[in-house]
Amino acid sequence: MTAVAERSSETGRTDETRRREAPERCRPLAKVRNIGIVAHIDAGKTTVSERILFYAGRVHRMGEVHEGTAVMDFMPQEKERGITITSAATTCFWRDCQINLIDTPGHVDFTVEVERSLRVLDGAIGVFCAVGRVQPQSETVWRQANRYGVPRIAFVNKMDRIGADFEAVVGEMRDRLGANAVPVQIPWGREESFRGVIDLVTMERVLFDERTLGARCERGPVPPEMAAAAEAARARMLEKLAEADEAVLEAYLEHPDLPAETIRAGIRRAVVSGRMVPVLAGAALRNKGVQPLLDAVVDYLPSPADLPPVAGHHPKTHAIVLREADDSGPTAALVFKLVNDPYVGRLALVRVYSGQLRKGHNIYNPRTRKRDRISRLVLLHADAREEVETLYSGEIGGVVGVKQGSTGDTFCAEHQPVELERIRFPEPVMAMAIEPKSQADREKLNAALEDLAAEDPTCVITTDAETGQTLISGMGELHLEILRDRMLREWKVEANTGKPMVSYRETITGHGRGEHRFEREIGGQRHMAQVVLEVEPGPRGEGNRIEFDVPATRIPAAFRPATEEGIRDGLTTGVLANYNLTDVRVRVVGGAFHEQESTDVAFRTAACLALREAVRAAGPVLLEPIMAMEITVPAEHLGDVIGDLNGRRGQIRDIAARDAAQVIHALVPLAEIFGYSTAIRSLTRGRASYTMEPTRFDIVPEAIQHQLLNQ
């Protein structure tokens, strides 16, 4: 397709989009960008966000993470620790485009915030540290973005730091992330001599005026000492772009010196299709490189109109249903987060995919099959709220007044229902016991736990069947610490907590068969049911699956929901130590009922007890969470650290040299690394650093399992 034909087709699409757009919108759909900033902890995400808000005129003073003044880190816990804990949303404007921005956490304990943000975003900025390069959590968030098909651009931050290496970061993006990373800028200098960037699209150097805190950019010709490097980098960029985009390839074959407009259009198509990741450079803390990054967001990342319709299914027929970004279409919005706001109560953060949400109107939740009335609608700016009358398709905002609903629910039109794909969350790997300090605090504690669990799907509340203790589970020690701190500050609940402990799982290693016949008189009524089922191990990480392979003459359809509930009851309690069973396939193969005496209670009880019998016969074992660790250690301490890891049942995956240090990648059971920060500090005299993230559950060795079960 020629450039002219392409532009005309794009114009046609824009005109068609405008015909579907409400005239009251403040920006046309093509001028909207829903983006997130994702990265490893301490790569500079929040610093980049603060500069974006400052240069876009959203704030008049740049906040700093290290000073606790960052706008996007508004929680007391974030200000004190200098890290992002919860994703924060805001809206700003650049070059007449509306940018809905979500700043996400980088710490592995809060990866759920990244997961649910990426689910509703149209594009993302991946921030990489020029010194740390591609770090473990960078890989995690990149995989999450791959799963949701989110187009990305990359920003190599901290080019002013000692050890900064732009080319090494790009190389690791290609090798470790499998990304087609293509620099569209190269840095002008590095470390202390970092001055600005060379724009390879326009072949200009860009300087950032320090007197205006980088707000004013000065463009000019490429300096002579950078000319050869810039020409070579531009040639590589055009070759990569031609490989990713046919229109650019045709134009490139005719005339290799392409105009900037053609290059930008080609990069945009390649980014939207996921075939290319443009890479930019800068030093956000020194106010360098952020305005070209904003230009790249506008030029390269998609608007809701550029993406295919979102797919869901009909709640009754389960047929595939598509919803386009269309203000006049049937309403479809996804709840990606619940927030307990001290001023407005429970606030549901939503992404509107189709139609409109209007203040005072009703919405339908196909999961609960109930209607709710929207009392208020708000746009978000960190912890501030701006009330609006309508949220249009393609927008992100908050809904106040919804009584029923949880993260992952869909709000839709009742006469045209749709359920959008729910968000998948990781399983918690650590737990601690919690109890109120006084009986008067018990109700307050229960309310606080209920609110926290609704707000954070990786905060799971359970009761130990043997001790009666309330257990709060989360993604790590920091996560549990933050949950405890929030209960005290936000809910004013005084509580005693135990030491964090590993959250084990149970599974089976073989096949088993169980049968139970329940016959009992309860309250003067006879209850009868019989259930026969078989169990077998499923693939690790797949979860549980329940199937019915039994005729209706044995278990009628009316009793199958109760039978399934009973099976799920059994799966949540286990047989060894009351841990959840996972990766188990359950097949109901037989049963019996009585027309007068069979009840839901009987089938639920029979199914639960039959499952326990089958699991006992199938070789039950304990599973423990395994952590993927990356440890950066000076070469002289390498042997000590490896020896310590071996003593902790660690498996060394590889060791690589990085500058003057060695980087160890290892898999270590979570139970063996409590207090590891103190141990490694002692081993290396404080010169090593490490990161870790949950990777999978593995079977506990027999000797250790015997020890655990007999404690």
Side-chain angles (χ1 to χ4, degrees):
M1 183 186 291
T2 65
V4 174
E6 196 166 71
R7 280 198 299 274
S8 65
S9 73
E10 283 184 357
T11 304
R13 184 180 63 186
T14 304
D15 290 344
E16 181 188 351
T17 303
R18 283 179 181 156
R19 284 199 297 272
R20 298 197 305 256
E21 291 175 13
E24 302 87 9
R25 294 183 70 112
C26 69
R27 290 292 187 285
L29 203 58
K31 295 279 189 179
V32 173
R33 302 287 184 273
N34 294 311
I35 67 164
I37 300 184
V38 297
H40 185 89
I41 189 170
D42 203 32
K45 298 178 303 303
T46 302
T47 304
V48 171
S49 299
E50 293 296 316
R51 270 61 185 170
I52 286 175
L53 296 180
F54 178 72
Y55 298 137
R58 193 69 173 84
V59 296
H60 301 294
R61 180 181 179 275
M62 283 185 283
E64 300 294 356
V65 174
H66 58 275
E67 295 175 358
T69 57
V71 174
M72 302 298 273
D73 284 351
F74 55 85
M75 292 174 63
Q77 295 86 352
E78 294 176 317
K79 293 177 184 294
E80 290 168 0
R81 291 167 176 81
I83 61 170
T84 302
I85 291 170
T86 183
S87 53
T90 188
T91 300
C92 61
F93 300 90
W94 185 258
R95 283 174 42 192
D96 201 34
C97 278
Q98 176 182 333
I99 299 176
N100 300 319
L101 173 70
I102 297 182
D103 177 32
T104 65
H107 197 286
V108 64
D109 282 16
F110 310 105
T111 188
V112 61
E113 296 288 338
V114 184
E115 185 81 26
R116 57 181 165 195
S117 298
L118 286 171
R119 171 64 181 84
V120 298
L121 293 172
D122 301 326
I125 301 170
V127 179
F128 296 87
C129 173
V131 181
R133 304 178 193 173
V134 176
Q135 297 164 291
Q137 189 64 8
S138 303
E139 293 187 59
T140 301
V141 298
W142 204 264
R143 287 195 301 270
Q144 289 172 309
N146 286 341
R147 186 158 63 245
Y148 293 116
V150 179
R152 277 145 283 173
I153 58 180
F155 181 69
V156 179
N157 193 26
K158 303 189 179 182
M159 282 303 306
D160 59 322
R161 290 268 305 274
I162 295 173
D165 192 332
F166 180 78
E167 291 77 14
V169 178
V170 175
E172 286 197 9
M173 286 182 66
R174 292 169 181 159
D175 297 338
R176 295 179 62 173
L177 305 180
N180 183 22
V182 180
V184 295
Q185 293 177 352
I186 57 172
W188 180 8
R190 56 190 286 183
E191 300 179 350
E192 291 182 358
S193 62
F194 178 66
R195 301 178 63 186
V197 296
I198 307 296
D199 187 336
L200 302 179
V201 176
T202 60
M203 285 303 281
E204 295 174 311
R205 59 112 172 101
V206 187
L207 286 176
F208 304 91
D209 183 21
E210 294 183 7
R211 290 169 299 179
T212 60
L213 298 176
R216 195 175 62 181
C217 300
E218 179 193 328
R219 287 180 172 264
V222 176
E225 70 272 16
M226 292 294 297
E231 287 291 347
R234 188 173 200 266
R236 286 194 297 271
M237 177 191 73
L238 292 176
E239 287 172 10
K240 290 284 187 181
L241 182 56
E243 291 172 8
D245 187 80
E246 288 187 11
V248 170
L249 176 61
E250 290 181 15
Y252 183 71
L253 292 174
E254 289 180 11
H255 198 291
D257 190 17
L258 298 178
E261 293 77 11
T262 302
I263 297 172
R264 287 196 190 98
I267 294 174
R268 181 181 181 81
R269 288 189 297 270
V271 170
V272 172
S273 64
R275 294 192 298 267
M276 177 177 162
V277 178
V279 185
L280 299 90
L285 190 62
R286 300 287 173 258
N287 309 315
K288 295 177 180 179
V290 177
Q291 293 96 326
L293 179 63
L294 273 167
D295 288 334
V297 167
V298 172
D299 290 335
Y300 305 142
L301 290 180
S303 74
D306 294 317
L307 298 174
V310 66
H313 66 270
H314 194 283
K316 291 183 179 177
T317 66
H318 298 287
I320 299 296
V321 178
L322 301 179
R323 289 285 184 264
E324 284 191 287
D326 180 354
D327 289 343
S328 61
T331 302
L334 184 73
V335 180
F336 67 94
K337 186 174 180 178
L338 294 177
V339 176
N340 291 294
D341 190 288
Y343 302 106
V344 301
R346 182 164 290 188
L347 180 67
L349 305 192
V350 298
R351 159 70 191 267
V352 184
Y353 284 96
S354 176
Q356 304 174 27
L357 294 178
R358 288 185 175 275
K359 180 179 174 180
H361 285 205
N362 287 334
I363 49 172
Y364 178 68
N365 186 333
R367 182 184 63 83
T368 61
R369 299 182 182 178
K370 292 182 179 178
R371 296 187 204 94
D372 252 320
R373 187 173 182 82
I374 301 172
S375 62
R376 291 166 64 189
L377 292 168
V378 294
L379 292 177
L380 308 165
H381 177 50
D383 58 341
R385 313 280 182 250
E386 177 188 337
E387 198 158 338
V388 293
E389 293 295 316
T390 308
L391 288 177
Y392 299 98
S393 63
E395 290 193 328
I396 291 174
V399 180
V400 181
V402 176
K403 298 179 180 64
Q404 303 290 331
S406 63
T407 302
D409 280 356
T410 302
F411 292 158
C412 63
E414 189 171 1
H415 64 289
Q416 289 181 289
V418 61
E419 272 193 283
L420 301 175
E421 180 191 353
R422 295 187 71 84
I423 306 168
R424 293 181 293 176
F425 299 111
E427 290 189 73
V429 297
M430 197 171 282
M432 69 180 179
I434 186 167
E435 61 181 23
K437 282 194 174 179
S438 67
Q439 194 62 31
D441 282 329
R442 186 168 295 279
E443 284 189 17
K444 287 169 64 178
L445 174 64
N446 291 337
L449 291 175
E450 185 181 329
D451 286 344
L452 283 170
E455 192 175 305
D456 182 354
T458 56
C459 169
V460 179
I461 312 301
T462 55
T463 302
D464 189 295
E466 291 183 359
T467 64
Q469 281 184 314
T470 299
L471 299 177
I472 179 169
S473 300
M475 298 304 298
E477 290 181 85
L478 179 61
H479 188 199
L480 294 176
E481 182 187 326
I482 295 297
L483 292 172
R484 182 176 54 196
D485 193 49
R486 289 190 62 196
M487 278 191 287
L488 178 62
R489 294 194 192 200
E490 296 175 30
W491 283 270
K492 308 292 189 266
V493 176
E494 295 281 349
N496 295 319
T497 56
K499 289 183 179 179
M501 52 192 177
V502 175
S503 186
Y504 291 96
R505 297 286 184 274
E506 297 180 22
T507 193
I508 56 176
T509 55
H511 290 65
R513 182 182 176 91
E515 179 177 348
H516 189 85
R517 185 179 181 89
F518 182 85
E519 288 185 283
R520 191 170 298 176
E521 187 172 313
I522 304 173
Q525 181 185 352
R526 289 284 298 170
H527 295 263
M528 177 271 167
Q530 183 178 355
V531 175
V532 184
L533 51 80
E534 296 175 351
V535 296
E536 63 180 12
R540 186 74 67 240
E542 185 186 75
N544 299 319
R545 198 164 73 188
I546 301 171
E547 300 171 353
F548 284 85
D549 186 13
V550 58
T553 55
R554 294 285 183 183
I555 301 180
F559 293 121
R560 294 193 179 193
T563 305
E564 185 171 335
E565 283 180 25
I567 293 170
R568 294 196 184 280
D569 289 344
L571 291 170
T572 57
T573 54
V575 298
L576 293 175
N578 297 319
Y579 295 116
N580 288 359
L581 277 155
T582 188
D583 303 333
V584 177
R585 289 180 174 174
V586 184
R587 195 160 57 95
V588 181
V589 295
F593 80 105
H594 189 282
E595 288 187 2
Q596 280 78 40
E597 296 180 357
S598 288
T599 61
D600 283 348
V601 171
F603 269 101
R604 184 169 182 169
T605 307
C608 183
L609 295 174
L611 177 80
R612 294 177 72 84
E613 182 182 324
V615 169
R616 286 194 188 96
V621 292
L622 286 182
L623 294 174
E624 63 181 347
I626 305 296
M627 310 300 284
M629 299 186 71
E630 181 179 280
I631 307 162
T632 304
V633 58
E636 60 265 32
H637 297 294
L638 182 63
D640 294 333
V641 173
I642 290 176
D644 182 67
L645 288 173
N646 289 334
R648 296 172 184 271
R649 297 193 282 129
Q651 299 174 19
I652 309 298
R653 294 165 63 193
D654 65 69
I655 302 171
R658 179 181 294 173
D659 300 328
Q662 298 289 318
V663 180
I664 305 169
H665 293 97
L667 297 175
V668 189
L670 176 60
E672 303 290 345
I673 48 178
F674 280 93
Y676 187 67
S677 57
T678 303
I680 196 169
R681 195 179 303 125
S682 174
L683 283 170
T684 64
R685 299 178 185 174
R687 296 176 61 198
S689 62
Y690 75 95
T691 58
M692 63 181 182
E693 61 175 331
T695 180
R696 65 172 188 258
F697 281 83
D698 269 358
I699 294 174
V700 177
E702 191 174 341
I704 296 173
Q705 179 172 303
H706 180 75
Q707 215 174 27
L708 289 168
L709 296 177
N710 288 281
Q711 282 179 348

